[in-house]
Amino acid sequence: MATHKDALDERLERLTPEDFRRGLRAFSAKIREAESSWLQTCVRCGLCADSCHYFRADGELESIPAYKLELAASVFRRNFTAAGRLAPALVGARSLDKEMARRWIEAIFGRCSLCGRCSLNCTTGVHIAGVLRAARGALAEMGLVPDDLQATVDLSLSTGNNMGITRQDWLDTVEWIGEELRTETGDPAAGIPVDKTGAKVLFTVNPREPKFYPLSLQASAAVFHAAGEDWTVASEGWDLTNYGLFTGNVEQGRAISENLVRSMERLGCRTLVIGECGHGFAAARWEAPEWRQEGYRFEVRSFLEVMEDYLLEGRIRVDRSRHPGKVTLHDPCNLVRSGGVSEPQRTVLRRTVTRLVEMSPCGRENFCCGGGGGQLSMARFRAKRLQAGSVKAEQIRKTGAATVVAPCHNCIDQLMELNREYKLGVAIKTVAEMVADALIRPACAGMRGEA
Ligand code: SF4
Ligand code: SF4
């Protein structure tokens, strides 16, 4: 399935017996008690097949969630169960060798976005994505993470953000956006505060925003300004992404998550607000406290929850007539299914746009766009990623919407590719961009109907 060879294939060829032992040790350590029972409870009913966007798109056996699960389970049986050790053929137990490692890479990195949808329909409640993430962790231990995915982790560890944006470039971008905001609002005090000690809110962003989508950051800043929030960004430790979640390397994931903790402690802020990003929210809100084995001394919120509060409390006002066309909403898996944030974006959009049409299915049952699980960073699986994304493309087309709102910059990148690939002809926006475009500024409040 891989479209090109890279250093990963060479590393695969050079694996030593010690590498396999290390991988197995990591796999066993990462499979927690509950997960080891999941490895033995699949009854092969096949109900998970249609849950997976990969299988729906290609119809291939290798894309069925239970097939991917079995690849991991057969290795577990061979190495960690008595029956597997004594009579491997009888119980379908298989060794972790070069061929199996190659199959793991193709299935677990190449045909899974860790979206978690299959678990919703599993007869026995197997958390398939959890098992596959543990298998990714074993591959990481063996040095078998695709190079481009690992590079994002390495850049986060070495520079503090996954795109290697320099401190000066970040500060220049923030300053420039602040100037734009002053022009836009006519308020000389508007801007993006940097390193404001004791600010209530520390706002964090995906590096794609300063790098490729500054208007997105400008929109968030406009919302904070309109709400009169006491907020700041950090000069360092501002990147909310954490690709350790996708490589399965918990130690590296934990180290990356500490960047945000250090910023919060250095600035003494009360609330860490995660900008629009699915996996970034899941990593900071749910995974990192587990990785560090202690909670935070501050609260973590999604910017969607914050915007919902602003609207409900009347701190910002919007004019929904500015968005007269049909708008649909994409549900990022890590934000909605894993992260539990489903309603705030709906509350916000119902007040901000005239015609919100839901995809079918939506919310917790949504289909992954195909860009999750680090897929966007793995060039070798691009063709498969775009094929798997056809399910989302079809969902979008069926809504007839002219605008797709996606509260996640990773999803946005995938949706933009799907837009081109499947000729959807839609505009793609963040929630903050929709809100910012509909804001009733204090100077003109009362002149337009409030939603
Ligand atoms: S987690 Fe998502 S992509 Fe992976 S097997 Fe399950 S449904 Fe498919
Ligand atoms: S739905 Fe669950 S039990 Fe049935 S085949 Fe899939 S993983 Fe196995």
Side-chain angles (χ1 to χ4, degrees):
M1 186 182 80
T3 51
H4 68 276
K5 283 188 167 259
D6 60 18
L8 173 62
D9 302 282
E10 288 167 26
R11 290 198 298 281
L12 190 54
E13 285 311 312
R14 289 200 308 267
L15 286 174
T16 64
E18 176 49 29
D19 291 330
F20 288 113
R21 279 194 289 275
R22 219 177 38 252
L24 284 170
R25 275 199 301 275
F27 187 43
S28 135
K30 286 168 197 299
I31 291 285
R32 288 168 285 198
E33 207 175 309
E35 285 161 346
S36 70
S37 70
W38 292 330
L39 284 167
Q40 299 173 72
T41 50
C42 172
V43 294
R44 295 182 167 75
C45 65
L47 283 181
C48 52
D50 266 347
S51 304
C52 181
H53 52 297
Y54 281 92
F55 180 73
R56 289 174 87 104
D58 66 21
E60 293 170 6
L61 175 73
E62 292 85 351
S63 290
I64 296 176
Y67 179 93
K68 299 173 233 186
L69 177 72
E70 176 57 15
L71 283 180
S74 63
V75 167
F76 184 83
R77 281 197 294 277
R78 178 72 183 87
N79 293 280
F80 304 109
T81 69
R85 284 198 200 96
L86 295 172
L90 212 60
V91 295
R94 283 174 285 186
S95 299
L96 182 58
D97 53 17
K98 280 182 194 172
E99 175 53 19
M100 183 55 90
R102 189 192 60 73
R103 292 175 70 188
W104 272 28
I105 292 167
E106 295 298 313
I108 293 166
F109 278 117
R111 288 177 190 259
C112 179
S113 56
L114 302 178
C115 75
R117 190 170 192 275
C118 44
S119 301
L120 293 181
N121 298 303
C122 175
T123 320
T124 55
V126 179
H127 183 21
I128 300 166
V131 173
L132 299 185
R133 186 142 66 102
R136 282 191 179 195
L139 289 170
E141 201 58 41
M142 294 159 71
L144 296 179
V145 175
D147 296 325
D148 30 16
L149 177 58
Q150 185 59 46
T152 60
V153 171
D154 294 343
L155 271 175
S156 290
L157 292 170
S158 62
T159 71
N161 70 85
N162 76 27
M163 288 190 159
I165 297 170
T166 65
R167 177 189 162 97
Q168 196 53 53
D169 281 352
W170 163 242
L171 293 177
D172 287 349
T173 304
V174 164
E175 176 53 29
W176 165 69
I177 292 172
E179 276 172 30
E180 292 290 315
L181 196 62
R182 284 189 282 283
T183 306
E184 186 186 312
T185 60
D187 178 358
I192 300 183
V194 179
D195 287 345
K196 184 180 172 194
T197 307
K200 181 173 170 251
V201 164
L202 175 68
F203 184 60
T204 55
V205 303
N206 186 317
R208 281 183 164 87
E209 295 189 51
K211 189 96 174 174
F212 302 123
Y213 305 108
L215 290 181
S216 189
L217 178 52
Q218 188 174 331
S220 303
V223 173
F224 279 130
H225 174 261
E229 187 58 270
D230 177 19
W231 72 297
T232 189
V233 297
S235 58
E236 287 171 4
W238 49 267
D239 173 7
L240 57 73
T241 67
N242 193 329
Y243 281 72
L245 193 67
F246 300 146
T247 62
N249 187 322
V250 169
E251 291 69 34
Q252 293 184 334
R254 189 193 52 72
I256 293 170
S257 68
E258 288 300 306
N259 288 339
L260 300 184
V261 176
R262 275 192 295 276
S263 292
M264 286 298 287
E265 288 173 350
R266 178 169 62 87
L267 297 172
C269 300
R270 259 185 284 162
T271 307
L272 174 64
V273 173
I274 305 295
E276 294 183 55
C277 177
H279 92 275
F281 177 75
R285 178 71 184 83
W286 302 113
E287 300 290 341
E290 255 195 61
W291 292 336
R292 67 199 314 258
Q293 297 182 334
E294 59 174 314
Y296 299 129
R297 287 195 212 95
F298 50 83
E299 67 170 349
V300 180
R301 303 191 79 202
S302 159
F303 190 40
L304 301 165
E305 298 171 298
V306 172
M307 284 190 284
E308 180 189 36
D309 284 355
Y310 291 163
L311 276 167
L312 296 181
E313 291 164 8
R315 288 176 67 178
I316 59 174
R317 302 172 69 211
V318 287
D319 174 5
R320 68 155 72 98
S321 72
R322 306 229 192 114
H323 295 298
K326 240 191 216 184
V327 172
T328 192
L329 173 67
H330 167 61
D331 288 302
C333 305
N334 272 303
L335 185 73
V336 177
R337 194 157 33 243
S338 313
V341 178
S342 172
E343 280 310 304
Q345 55 271 45
R346 290 179 161 78
T347 304
V348 171
L349 285 177
R350 280 194 285 266
R351 284 166 171 74
T352 306
V353 309
T354 309
R355 297 168 72 199
L356 177 65
V357 283
E358 292 279 12
M359 294 186 208
S360 176
C362 64
R364 201 166 157 260
E365 294 275 348
N366 80 85
F367 280 107
C368 177
C369 62
Q375 289 299 333
L376 277 162
S377 301
M378 297 186 279
R380 64 193 280 133
F381 302 126
R382 179 175 182 272
K384 186 54 82 182
R385 164 170 62 81
L386 290 180
Q387 183 187 32
S390 64
V391 175
K392 179 58 64 179
E394 202 43 40
Q395 275 194 291
I396 292 170
R397 201 189 304 280
K398 279 185 180 155
T399 65
T403 303
V404 180
V405 177
C408 172
H409 272 282
N410 283 4
C411 296
I412 283 176
D413 274 14
Q414 167 77 347
L415 292 171
M416 285 187 165
E417 278 198 65
L418 297 181
N419 202 11
R420 288 192 293 273
E421 181 80 9
Y422 296 101
K423 301 185 174 40
L424 298 173
V426 291
I428 299 165
K429 306 260 189 184
T430 62
V431 177
E433 285 167 7
M434 299 300 282
V435 172
D437 285 347
L439 275 175
I440 301 173
R441 309 253 180 225
C444 58
M447 294 173 68
R448 297 186 177 93
E450 186 187 351

